[in-house]
C-alpha cells in the first residue's frame, strides 16, 4: 500500500487545478498588480477575479475579502485589528480555539484587555449560552471557531453571532477547518469577520483570506503601500491567490459532493477500531449533525499517541495527535483537556482527518495497522 494520507486537517495535497493556475501566473502573468501597463493590469485582474469568486462562494461582497498569508495572520488581524480600534474592553472566546487565536488573545490579555474563555462539554461542543453568559457591558468582540480542528465538532456560530449583533458586539469566526469542506455563508452565520487558509482545501500554503463585513471597526494590519484596499500593505502574492481561487472551486465541488462517502468512511473507521480495540474512547461526536464528516479523534488507553504515529508512519499511514502545528509540544492538547480528558487520555489521542480522495480499502488497512500497532505497544508496556 502506498501512502495513506489521513491528515487532511493538518494540510491537504495541492490540487492540479491550483498548480496549473499558479504555474501560469509565475511563468506568464508575473506583473506587479499595481503596475499601470498591461502586465500589471493582467495581474490585477487575477487578484480581482479571485476576490469576486471567493466572495461569491461566501455570499459576501467583493470588497469584503482581504488576502493574507494564511489562517494565523487572518486570526491575528481579526483580533488585534478590532482590539486596536476599540482601545480597551473585553473579548470572549472559547477554550478550544487554535493557538493562532489563543496566543493572540493571551497577548491582548497581557496588554490589559479582558479575556474570557467559554468551556466545551465533554464532547467538545461549546453551547451558545456558555458564551453569551460571559458578556459584559464592555464586551466588543466574540471569537468562536466554526469547526474545531482537533475534534471536527461544529460550534453554534450562527446563534452566537445573531445574539452578538443585537448587542452591537463584533463576531469573528476562525473557519480555517470549515471553508472548502462545508458550505460557508457569512450571512447565515451572522459573522463580521471570518478567517480561512488555502492549504486546508487543496490550495497553496502561506495563503488565506480574512472576510471583513463592510463597516466593521478594524485597523489595517500591515502598514505599507495601498494594497488590499489600504488595509494590508505589500505586493500581492498573485500566484498563490490564483491557486487558492482554483483550489476553493475544486474543493467545494468534491468535498460537498462527497459528504455521504466521508461520513460512511469515518463511521467504518470508528466501527472497525472499536471492534479491534474495545476500550477506545471517542473525542467528539460520531453523529453527523454535530460533527464534520472528515474528522475522527480517539484516545486509546495506555498508548502514547506520538509512539503510535511513528508505527503508523512505518506502514505508510499519515495521521496526527491533535493540532499538527503543536506536535512538537510536550503539553497535551488544550482542546482535549478543556473537554475534561486527563493529561494521559489527551496524550493517548490520535486524529484521523479524511478527504474525498480516501478509499474503503485505505480505511480497512488503517484499522488493521492501528490494531496491530496498539497490540505491539501494549505488549511493550
Ligand atoms: C482552526 C485553525 N485555525 C488556524 C490555523 C492556522 O492556519 P495557517 O496554517 O494557515 O496559519 C489552523 C491550522 O492548522 C487551524 O486548524
Amino acid at each position: 500500500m502506498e501512502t495513506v494520507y489521513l491528515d487532511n486537517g493538518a494540510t491537504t495535497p495541492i490540487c492540479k487545478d491550483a498548480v496549473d493556475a499558479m504555474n501560469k501566473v509565475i511563468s506568464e502573468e508575473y506583473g506587479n498588480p499595481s503596475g499601470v501597463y498591461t502586465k500589471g493590469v493582467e495581474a490585477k485582474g487575477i487578484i480581482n477575479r479571485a476576490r469576486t469568486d471567493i466572495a461569491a462562494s461566501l455570499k459576501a461582497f467583493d470588497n469584503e475579502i482581504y488576502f493574507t498569508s494564511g489562517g494565523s495572520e487572518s486570526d491575528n488581524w481579526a483580533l488585534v485589528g478590532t482590539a486596536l480600534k476599540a482601545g480597551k474592553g473585553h473579548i470572549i472566546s472559547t477554550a478550544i480555539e487554535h493557538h493562532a487565536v489563543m496566543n493572540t488573545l493571551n497577548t491582548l490579555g497581557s496588554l490589559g484587555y479582558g479575556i474570557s474563555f467559554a468551556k466545551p462539554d465533554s464532547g467538545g461542543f461549546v453551547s451558545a449560552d456558555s458564551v453569551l453568559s460571559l458578556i459584559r457591558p464592555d464586551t466588543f468582540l466574540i471569537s468562536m471557531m466554526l469547526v474545531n480542528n482537533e475534534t471536527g465538532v461544529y460550534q453554534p456560530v450562527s446563534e452566537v453571532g445573531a445574539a452578538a449583533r443585537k448587542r452591537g458586539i463584533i463576531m469573528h469566526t476562525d473557519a480555517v477547518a470549515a471553508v472548502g469542506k462545508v458550505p460557508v455563508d457569512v450571512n447565515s452565520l451572522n459573522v463580521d469577520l471570518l478567517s480561512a487558509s488555502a492549504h486546508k482545501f487543496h490550495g497553496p500554503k502561506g495563503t488565506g483570506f480574512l472576510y471583513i463585513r463592510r463597516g466593521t471597526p478594524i485597523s489595517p494590519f500591515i502598514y505599507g503601500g495601498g494594497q488590499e484596499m489600504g488595509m494590508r500593505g505589500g505586493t500581492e502574492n498573485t500566484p498563490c491567490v490564483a491557486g487558492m481561487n482554483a483550489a476553493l472551486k475544486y474543493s467545494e465541488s468534491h468535498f460537498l459532493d462527497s459528504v455521504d462517502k466521508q461520513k460512511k468512511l469515518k463511521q467504518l473507521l470508528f466501527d472497525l477500531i472499536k471492534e479491534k480495540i474495545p476500550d477506545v474512547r471517542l473525542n467528539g461526536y460520531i453523529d453527523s449533525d454535530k460533527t464534520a464528516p472528515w474528522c475522527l479523534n480517539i484516545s486509546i488507553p495506555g498508548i502514547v499517541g506520538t509512539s503510535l504515529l511513528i508505527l503508523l508512519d512505518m506502514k505508510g499511514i499519515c495521521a496526527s495527535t491533535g493540532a499538527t502545528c503543536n506536535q512538537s509540544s510536550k503539553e497535551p492538547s488544550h482542546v482535549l483537556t478543556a473537554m475534561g480528558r486527563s493529561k494521559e487520555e489527551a496524550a493517548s489521542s490520535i486524529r484521523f482527518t479524511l478527504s474525498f480522495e480516501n478509499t474503503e480499502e485505505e480505511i480497512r488497512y488503517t484499522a488493521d495497522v492501528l490494531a496491530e500497532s496498539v497490540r505491539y505497544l501494549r505488549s511493550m508496556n
Side-chain angles (χ1 to χ4, degrees):
M1 173 88 52
E2 289 179 1
T3 300
V4 177
Y5 191 73
L6 295 175
D7 203 15
N8 291 279
T11 196
T12 48
I14 192 163
C15 64
K16 186 174 176 306
D17 293 356
V19 173
D20 290 347
M22 290 171 74
N23 277 339
K24 186 157 189 288
V25 178
I26 289 168
S27 54
E28 295 168 31
E29 295 157 333
Y30 51 80
N32 186 321
S34 299
V36 291
Y37 39 81
T38 308
K39 276 259 169 261
V41 173
E42 199 177 75
K44 187 83 182 165
I46 292 161
I47 300 283
N48 287 343
R49 206 169 312 127
R51 214 185 297 284
T52 302
D53 292 351
I54 292 172
S57 156
L58 266 63
K59 310 276 188 296
F61 293 107
D62 292 18
N63 61 1
E64 294 177 319
I65 303 296
Y66 295 80
F67 296 122
T68 67
S69 67
S72 299
E73 183 187 323
S74 300
D75 285 342
N76 272 257
W77 184 3
L79 305 175
V80 175
T82 48
L84 280 178
K85 260 288 188 250
K88 59 182 179 352
H90 176 238
I91 304 171
I92 302 171
S93 190
T94 81
I96 59 166
E97 299 295 317
H98 187 273
H99 282 106
V101 167
M102 282 295 202
N103 290 342
T104 309
L105 289 178
N106 289 334
T107 302
L108 289 173
S110 71
L111 293 172
Y113 290 88
I115 314 287
S116 305
F117 293 105
K119 291 197 173 62
D121 65 14
S122 62
F125 177 78
V126 182
S127 71
D129 284 349
S130 69
V131 173
L132 300 175
S133 66
L134 298 172
I135 291 179
R136 305 190 326 205
D138 63 341
T139 304
F140 65 88
L141 173 69
I142 298 177
S143 178
M144 177 183 237
M145 68 197 326
L146 187 51
V147 174
N148 182 268
N149 53 306
E150 295 195 31
T151 61
V153 176
Y154 293 124
Q155 306 301 325
V157 170
S158 173
E159 197 182 338
V160 173
R165 183 161 298 158
K166 278 193 196 136
R167 293 167 173 85
I169 298 170
I170 304 165
M171 182 73 199
H172 167 245
T173 189
D174 174 342
V176 168
V179 170
K181 296 179 174 175
V182 294
V184 171
D185 172 339
V186 290
N187 299 315
S188 60
L189 282 175
N190 299 312
V191 293
D192 303 302
L193 300 161
L194 180 145
S195 307
S197 176
H199 75 100
K200 305 290 183 175
F201 52 82
H202 300 274
K205 293 170 182 56
T207 306
F209 62 86
L210 179 65
Y211 158 77
I212 305 179
R213 186 178 292 278
R214 286 175 183 175
T216 304
I218 184 165
S219 295
F221 201 52
I222 297 182
Y223 296 89
Q227 292 94 344
E228 293 306 294
M229 298 164 269
M231 296 290 275
R232 183 189 186 269
T235 304
E236 297 88 338
N237 188 346
T238 325
C240 285
V241 167
M244 172 161 65
N245 190 21
L248 187 57
K249 291 186 182 123
Y250 168 84
S251 194
E252 281 183 338
S253 60
H254 289 81
F255 253 108
L256 301 182
D257 287 352
S258 67
V259 169
D260 285 343
K261 178 186 169 192
Q262 292 168 60
K263 278 183 198 164
K264 276 191 198 126
L265 290 184
K266 171 176 166 172
Q267 185 71 53
L268 177 67
L269 182 59
F270 187 53
D271 289 346
L272 290 171
I273 294 174
K274 255 192 328 192
E275 194 182 297
K276 294 168 198 288
I277 312 169
D279 56 350
V280 65
R281 181 172 185 189
L282 178 68
N283 296 317
Y285 293 94
I286 200 80
D287 26 325
S288 52
D289 60 334
K290 285 195 175 140
T291 184
W294 43 265
C295 184
L296 180 69
N297 189 319
I298 51 171
S299 285
I300 304 174
I303 297 296
V304 176
T306 42
S307 310
L308 195 50
L309 288 187
I310 294 166
L311 294 185
L312 293 183
D313 182 42
M314 285 163 67
K315 301 279 184 172
I317 299 167
C318 304
S320 61
T321 60
T324 309
C325 42
N326 223 32
Q327 215 80 173
S328 53
S329 163
K330 297 248 180 319
E331 284 302 305
S333 154
H334 68 285
V335 174
L336 298 185
T337 49
M339 287 160 60
R341 303 293 185 272
S342 66
K343 285 191 170 190
E344 291 70 31
E345 281 175 312
S348 72
S349 71
I350 182 158
R351 178 188 73 163
F352 298 102
T353 41
L354 283 59
S355 124
F356 53 86
E357 289 169 349
N358 293 121
T359 63
E360 186 177 328
E361 192 193 358
E362 289 178 330
I363 295 300
R364 291 189 179 280
Y365 172 73
T366 300
D368 286 343
V369 172
L370 184 78
E372 192 185 299
S373 308
V374 167
R375 261 196 308 278
Y376 173 75
L377 288 173
R378 283 183 169 163
S379 73
M380 300 294 285
N381 288 345

